Each structure stands twice: as C-alpha cells, then as structure tokens.
Amino acid sequence: MSPGRRIRHYRMLRGMTQKALGIAAGFPPETADLRIAQYESGVRTPKHALLCTLAEALGVLPSALDIPRIKSHEVLNQLLFVLEDEYGLTICLLYTSPSPRDA
C-alpha cells in the first residue's frame, strides 16, 4: 500500500477531513485539503519530514505511513522470522508447477 493510501486509511479511521489533516500538518487553510488530496492520490509524495508531521497529526508512528524498504532476501527472511516470533505469523509458501509455456 502506498504512503498516500496509508494516509487516507488513517485519516478516515480518525474521522478527519483532508482539510483538517492538512491544517493539523501546518498547511494554510486555503490549500490544506488540496495538498492532502495530492498526497493521497499519489500526485505528490511526502518527504520524510512531512511524513513524520502527518503521522503525528494522525496519531500513528511514521513507519505506519512509509513503505518498508527491504533490500535483500536475507533482510526479508529476518523480518519474517521476527513476525513469526513476535506475532505468531505463519508463512506458507505455495508452489505451482511451471506451465508448459514456461518450459
């Protein structure tokens, strides 16, 4: 899920309008709703500092709005092990045989 979709998700959970979130993030009231609409639609991508400000206004951690960066299979495996240990998440891998077209 993109940062914009996450912003919208948490904004809706909080019952906030785009204008209210924009004002809480420090945008002028005249453009507050437009700026949030641009972020939610993906027209603009908030820089990290703004993402932190939006997260604070929404009452969530900045990591809730950001896209996790997984740089390798090893890092992904470590993350999955932590999720399994900490939250009981079970990972099931599905294997599908290659189609004759892939041979």
Side-chain angles (χ1 to χ4, degrees), residues 11-89:
R11 179 180 62 78
M12 299 297 285
L13 277 178
R14 304 294 183 261
M16 295 177 83
T17 63
Q18 289 176 330
K19 186 173 197 107
L21 176 57
I23 291 170
F27 297 124
E30 306 81 45
T31 60
D33 55 343
L34 176 62
R35 290 290 297 272
I36 298 302
Q38 290 173 333
Y39 294 123
E40 289 183 358
S41 69
V43 171
R44 297 179 77 157
T45 302
K47 293 187 177 171
H48 185 72
L50 178 57
L51 207 62
C52 291
T53 301
L54 291 168
E56 184 177 338
L58 291 166
V60 299
L61 294 173
S63 59
L65 301 181
D66 205 1
I67 297 173
R69 304 288 180 219
I70 299 171
K71 298 179 191 230
S72 69
H73 284 96
E74 184 176 328
V75 172
L76 175 61
N77 285 337
Q78 292 170 356
L79 175 61
L80 292 173
F81 286 136
V82 168
L83 291 172
E84 182 179 49
D85 291 344
E86 295 291 321
Y87 301 102
L89 178 72

